[in-house]
Amino acid sequence: DNTHFISETDRLNWLVQTLTETVNSGLKFSSRISFEALIATSCMIRLGLSYASGVNSLLQIGQGDATPPLQRSLYELWVEFRYLLSSGDASENAVKFSANAMLELDDFAKRNEHRFDKQSLGSAAKAIASFESSNPETVKIVREQRRKHHFHWSGISRSEMERQVAVAGTHLYKMLSWEAHAILTPIRDISVENCANEFGLNFHPQNTPTI
């Protein structure tokens, strides 16, 4: 592509617009991917595009300092997407992904029964029963993982997923977590000026790009 970009922000804006147009016109997938994997990955693509659109919108108005939580969520999706398709059987992973989501919802509903009507509770149970009927061994694995307090469908941590699918030695997930959870906030973007007996604090966000 010979498209000229005046900045990385300009490139992101073009990319988000192009992907949005592509998704809105309908996605086509290879028949080599199973129906279960198609559903799971399509959900991730839709959600990832919404996160990217949010980052793009914030950058366009000069609010780059507010983007790290969205960047982290987008990176998590990228790791999860790659792991689902490349680690083991993609179809089985997709069933775990969907079954675990329903079990998570069912667990929450049962702990908060007073907030849910009987029809909602019954729908969750019916969906889980359907998964167990078509994929009993896979659902059994997910239940066992959750019993051991491994609540992600993969059965491992997100950091471990990153180590398996990202560049060897990457620590991007950790660094984005610092931003998303404000861990480094007290020691970054602040300069202190000592004038006689008074101190002045100046705040200068370092990650707000110039558009």
Side-chain angles (χ1 to χ4, degrees):
D1 197 316
N2 295 321
T3 305
H4 177 69
F5 304 105
I6 59 176
S7 67
E8 288 304 306
T9 303
D10 185 39
R11 185 193 300 271
L12 175 63
N13 185 53
W14 171 84
L15 179 61
V16 168
Q17 290 181 2
T18 301
L19 289 177
T20 299
E21 292 172 2
T22 300
V23 170
N24 288 342
S25 65
L27 294 174
K28 295 181 176 61
F29 290 85
S30 167
S31 59
R32 291 176 298 177
I33 188 171
S34 69
F35 178 75
E36 293 82 5
L38 173 64
I39 295 299
T41 53
S42 295
C43 293
M44 291 184 190
I45 290 172
R46 181 200 62 77
L47 189 57
L49 183 56
S50 80
Y51 290 158
S53 296
V55 171
N56 184 49
S57 296
L58 287 167
L59 291 177
Q60 295 302 317
I61 59 174
Q63 295 297 320
D65 211 37
T67 64
L70 284 171
Q71 291 181 48
R72 180 177 185 262
S73 295
L74 188 56
Y75 182 65
E76 285 179 349
L77 269 179
W78 176 81
V79 168
E80 195 149 355
F81 185 92
R82 292 200 63 182
Y83 185 88
L84 187 149
L85 292 178
S86 64
S87 180
D89 183 83
S91 181
E92 181 180 358
N93 286 342
V95 172
K96 287 181 179 179
F97 176 77
S98 298
N100 187 69
M102 189 55 66
L103 286 167
E104 177 75 21
L105 180 60
D106 188 54
D107 286 349
F108 178 81
K110 287 177 178 176
R111 290 195 302 270
N112 298 272
E113 289 188 14
H114 61 289
R115 298 180 182 274
F116 293 86
D117 56 39
K118 291 183 179 179
Q119 183 177 354
S120 297
L121 293 171
S123 296
K126 184 177 180 180
I128 293 170
S130 177
F131 278 119
E132 290 184 311
S133 175
S134 58
N135 299 276
E137 291 304 315
T138 302
V139 176
K140 181 179 179 181
I141 291 172
V142 175
R143 284 190 181 278
E144 182 62 17
Q145 288 174 176
R146 296 179 65 83
R147 188 185 69 79
K148 295 179 179 179
H149 298 280
H150 299 306
F151 295 109
H152 190 272
W153 65 265
S154 66
I156 61 177
S157 68
R158 293 185 183 277
S159 296
E160 178 58 30
M161 288 173 64
E162 180 192 34
R163 283 192 288 271
Q164 292 192 33
V165 303
V167 178
T170 183
H171 301 291
L172 185 56
Y173 181 72
K174 181 69 173 180
M175 295 171 69
L176 287 172
S177 296
W178 290 345
E179 295 284 347
H181 297 302
I183 293 171
L184 297 189
T185 300
I187 60 173
R188 69 182 295 276
D189 299 346
I190 301 174
S191 60
V192 180
E193 296 179 357
N194 185 358
C195 300
N197 294 322
E198 294 183 353
F199 290 90
L201 294 178
N202 294 307
F203 299 88
H204 303 286
Q206 298 172 6
N207 63 342
T208 303
T210 300
I211 298 177

